[in-house]
Amino acid sequence: MTDNYTVAGATGVRVVPEERSEFGGGHIPAPRTETEATRGRGRPSLGGQGRSPQVTFRAPPALRAMAEEQAARDGKTVSQLAREAFEMYLASKEGTNGAG
């Protein structure tokens, strides 16, 4: 990247170094490096490459709160906790051919 400017937020306004102080100085990030620009966005894949499929479901507020509390106690995210619970449930059903 040869231009010496920063794109400010969602507006896409180009801000040159002299103008950065008007917008809070160090709060505007420097331009991304080539490595950062070519790196994919978001979290890394759980499978090592490509995108990880998502599973979405609804839960009552009390269940969500219990999951958040347990995840915090375990030092995990709710997603990690749900993934582990899903894996354990499916592993318990192996060999039963769904007749469990």
Side-chain angles (χ1 to χ4, degrees):
M1 185 174 264
T2 57
D3 293 336
N4 190 15
Y5 66 87
T6 301
V7 176
T11 63
V13 174
R14 290 170 58 152
V15 180
V16 294
E18 298 78 37
E19 295 175 288
R20 287 183 186 169
S21 61
E22 295 176 33
F23 294 101
H27 296 289
I28 297 176
R32 295 180 355 171
T33 64
E34 270 312 301
T35 304
E36 293 170 330
T38 56
R39 181 176 62 200
R41 291 185 177 194
R43 296 183 181 270
S45 171
L46 296 173
Q49 56 180 283
R51 291 181 177 232
S52 298
Q54 289 186 324
V55 176
T56 305
F57 62 94
R58 295 182 184 273
L63 180 61
R64 173 65 190 215
M66 289 170 43
E68 289 172 348
E69 291 169 6
Q70 186 63 50
R73 281 193 297 272
D74 293 349
K76 300 176 181 181
T77 64
V78 172
S79 290
Q80 289 171 315
L81 187 71
R83 225 176 352 266
E84 290 174 5
F86 205 29
E87 288 171 354
M88 286 190 296
Y89 173 79
L90 293 174
S92 75
K93 297 295 182 180
E94 283 184 11
T96 63
N97 294 327

